[in-house]
Amino acid sequence: MKTQEKIEYKATSNACKLCSPLGASFVFRGIERSIPLLHGSQGCSTYIRRYLISHFNEPVDIACSNFTEETAVFGGGANLKLAVENIIKQYNPKLIGIATTCLSETIGEDVPMILKGYNKEKFDENFPEIVSVSTPSFSGTHIDGFHGAVRAVVDSIAVKKKISTKQINIFSGMLSPADLRHLKEIVSDFSTDYAMLPDYSDTLDGPLWMEYQEIPEGGTKIEKIASMGDAAASIEFGRILAEEESAGKLLTDRFQVPCYSLGLPIGVNETDAFFNALSIITGRPVPEKYIQERGRLIDSYADGHKYVFDARAVVYGEEDLVTGLASFLSEVGIIPIICASGGESGLLKQKILDIIPDAENIGIRIIEGADFVEINEEAKKIDPDFFIGNSKGYRIAREMKKPLIRVGFPIHDRLGGARIIHVGYRGAQQLFDIISNTIIATRQDTSPVGYTYM
Amino acid sequence: MTNIPILKERKKQIYHKGEGVFDLTCDTKSLAGSVSQRACVFCGSRVVLYPIADALHLIHGPIGCASYTWDIRGALSSGPELHRMSFSTDLRERDIIFGGEKKLYASLVQLIDTYRPNAAFVYCTCIIGIIGDDVDSVCKRVTEEKGIPVLPVHSEGFKGTKKDGYKAACESLSMLVGTGSVEDIGKYAINIMGEFNIAGEAWTIKEYYENMGIEVVAVFTGDGRVENIKRSHGASLNVVQCSGSILRLAQIMEEKYGIPYIRVSYFGIEDMSKALYDVAAHFKDNLGIMKKTKEIVRNEIDAIYPDLLRYKKALSGKKAAIYVGGAFKAFSMIKALRSLGIDVVLAGSQTGNKDDYAVLRDMCDEGTVILDDANPLELSKYCIEKGADLFVGGVKERPIAYKLGIAFCDHNHERKISLAGYSGMINLAKEVYSSVTSPVWKFAPAKDSFL
Ligand code: SF4
């Protein structure tokens, strides 16, 4: 007898994910003079702004097409066009990045259609580029919105002029501004030109203003995006992303730009792969500066290895971040005993197994589509040594009286989320120092002796 | 002057006191593309109901609405903390196509079994209004099966403004009111309404009233409990703060139970004292209450006055910009800041109405800019042009202030410091003082000698 397929319904409690328009907004904040525009109702853009502002402590303007009841019935075309016009008048942007929302998707809005035949003439040469991406919040998570927006930007702007360049395209993934700065430094140190998308290293982490800035300075230049079709190669981070549609693959398919799909460069192993790729593409050796940096990092691994050995970590966040952190933790002898993500690509388990082949024997729990209540239940079963992830895990860590090491996004309860470096040898150094010292401090504080040395 | 552009359509919502006739447009939907600081209908409902700590708050829709509102408000509870959880039906593509009712039902049953709440609120978000789920019947069914009130909140994001969300929440609350026993409620009993117990403020206010000899039946909704709300129709007066958010419920209670209401504010010495005196005056058959009230007010003011003078000396002559959710709060802030010697040069709100703005205009000095539903560009423009030293607002306004090298005081629901009552007035002074007089501003680009 055929068993009837039964769908099991369950509420999500304290979600370990955000919705896709947030990810797209990130990307559109990282392009020169660009403004994100959410096609939907007012709440989403304000909530997303608030969420980003609490992390970055920077102004984050995100416009909205402000659906009303009539819009929901008769379509949002007029509102969208009005929004575009008002944005142009207020911000004079070079690019408007339109992301849809659950509302506009549900009523079946077709943004490219709406914008077709749009009367650009009345804005003469000041009419900005418009890129749109479909980001219904009922499918995928914020990271899908992020990668989707990157791809949409490349799709509509990149061309091939058949000028061979030495440019390397970098698709970093959802990293911190400090990470982006570090990546740029690394690529520059290979004496090569690059185009990194997005680049919110200045727009979401800038100094106080001498004069008012409608749109903070910085961001990937549109010309740079246009030239991506002529690049020598693309590098794209994310082992999960490697299996999905992406900007890098689009450039390969359309313009034959070779794409290196690598894991997020967190820890020595994954960073080595990144440096190797740079060496191959540029034909240059790894600069001495990084050999030294790597050397110091490994030296500290030696100094600290015993303190962290067999420590058990609960890791959560976006799937690619979790995979990257698991790679780093396991290379220093820490067991990422729970690897959890709100994402549901169906690939997390395999990717963790690729990095830690005996994960299942060690008892590592890999949970896709997790929420924080589930993570909490699992964590209680295993008494971990620490949590590592965004600030939303704080309540569980607090309840279990375990330290939380804050990485990724969002970090709403500490300063400096934008300044955390996760990637490269430098990022691994920071992470390793923080983790070892957290473990050492816990032992010191709970020791009856209270040693004043390690 | 700056060259920051103001949209033509927005000019109607900006008024410079002393220039031209006063005819501010307000109570309208935000302009597309303007980057409003407002949120949606759902947000309005969530603000009002959120502090009810022993109720389940289930957000029906895709995940975003729930994720962004998880534990973002400092509404404290003295007991259960169910309100600090974020529950969502987390609708997916197939639910959009086939409807979300089954998932809503299953989620409610599962969550009620797990958390045993005393009531449940189901918030409808944008797409619920489109896919046509019959949320009312699901709620009804679960009410019958589980024996607790399960109340729909019709807060589809696009169906109006934040204010409509307040109304939707009030309507849901009104279904609870009147369902409990009022047997042991005395004659001098009030409900505190529109007080959300941010940083424990409701506790401070409640204590004042109790010391006056007044019984507080329910607080709407700070440190809220379903049981108290059910019996709140036993009070003889509703004391309504932050009028926009909960006024509708006070009106319903007046119509249905004949309970009169008064409007108050607990911010600043002047308004705080008035809030106590007005309640005492209402119970004029009991002279003891007024006597106690006078005593309390005197003692409280005496206790903070010396400190207040000290702060005033340091802050006199500074200029402030205020941008808040409800206009009523702006009134109190203007008075409170004046008592610290600070002049207000910009005042605005997300949801003020015509009457509110008329009051605001009368209160403000010549030259003050009054804004309805402003956006970041406008706020920046007038802060610069008016030379503000301080910005009083919420998280979304904070980076604007800091980028411009202006001090900031958080007066929104995220604050962790109580600003209500007499002790709150001193906290406010401290907050303002610690930002305005901080030495870090000497490094702000405009003043930095290094640059
Ligand atoms: S506008 Fe709609 S989808 Fe957006 S947060 Fe509000 S209710 Fe949710």
Side-chain angles (χ1 to χ4, degrees), chain A residues 7-23 35 37 41-51 53-54 57-70 72-73 79-80 82-87 89-91 102-103 106-107 136-140 142 205-214 342 344 372-373 392-393 395, chain B residues 3-7 9 29-40 42-44 46 58 62-65 67-72 81 84-96 99 102-103 106-107 110-111 115 126-127 130-131 157-160 375-378 380-381 384 395-396 398-400 402-405 414 441 443-446 451:
Chain A
I7 307 167
E8 230 209 280
Y9 287 118
K10 200 172 147 286
T12 296
S13 310
N14 298 345
C16 184
K17 62 176 173 183
L18 303 159
C19 70
S20 40
L22 177 132
I35 285 273
L37 164 59
S41 175
Q42 178 65 51
C44 313
S45 70
T46 302
Y47 277 135
I48 289 173
R49 288 178 61 208
R50 193 206 141 274
Y51 213 81
I53 289 171
S54 299
N57 289 306
E58 294 283 316
V60 182
D61 289 9
I62 298 173
C64 173
S65 61
N66 283 14
F67 267 57
T68 60
E69 293 208 65
E70 301 79 62
V73 177
N79 273 49
L80 187 66
L82 178 63
V84 167
E85 277 173 33
N86 282 335
I87 292 171
K89 284 188 217 154
Q90 285 198 112
Y91 292 92
C102 50
L103 179 57
T106 305
I107 66 167
S137 31
F138 47 73
S139 73
H142 57 295
D205 192 18
L208 296 188
W209 296 338
M210 182 71 99
E211 260 167 52
Y212 184 75
Q213 300 175 16
E214 285 110 1
E344 286 172 302
F372 278 106
V373 167
K392 297 294 162 187
R395 288 185 63 191
Chain B
N3 49 14
I4 302 171
I6 300 290
L7 292 170
E9 296 88 333
K29 282 286 293 184
S30 303
L31 178 64
S34 146
V35 190
S36 166
Q37 305 289 84
R38 281 182 187 166
C40 56
F42 160 69
C43 169
R46 189 95 170 102
L58 175 61
I63 197 64
C65 326
S67 280
Y68 304 128
T69 52
W70 176 21
D71 202 20
I72 61 168
E81 289 202 313
R84 295 185 63 192
M85 302 279 287
S86 158
F87 300 113
S88 167
T89 49
D90 194 358
L91 297 185
R92 308 299 171 81
E93 199 131 21
R94 65 157 191 266
D95 308 312
I96 308 303
K102 279 203 189 101
K103 198 165 187 183
S107 301
Q110 169 220 341
L111 292 170
Y115 295 99
C126 277
I127 61 161
I130 307 288
I131 62 176
F158 64 94
K159 290 192 172 168
N375 65 33
L377 294 185
E378 294 158 5
S380 309
K381 177 185 175 77
I384 298 171
V395 180
K396 288 189 299 289
R398 186 177 58 205
I400 300 176
Y402 288 168
K403 281 292 174 203
L404 297 173
E414 251 173 82
W441 300 122
F443 301 114
L451 294 174

Side-chain angles (χ1 to χ4, degrees), chain B residues 19-41:
Chain B
E19 287 176 23
V21 256
F22 176 70
D23 181 25
L24 196 76
T25 302
C26 55
D27 258 336
T28 57
K29 282 286 293 184
S30 303
L31 178 64
S34 146
V35 190
S36 166
Q37 305 289 84
R38 281 182 187 166
C40 56
V41 180

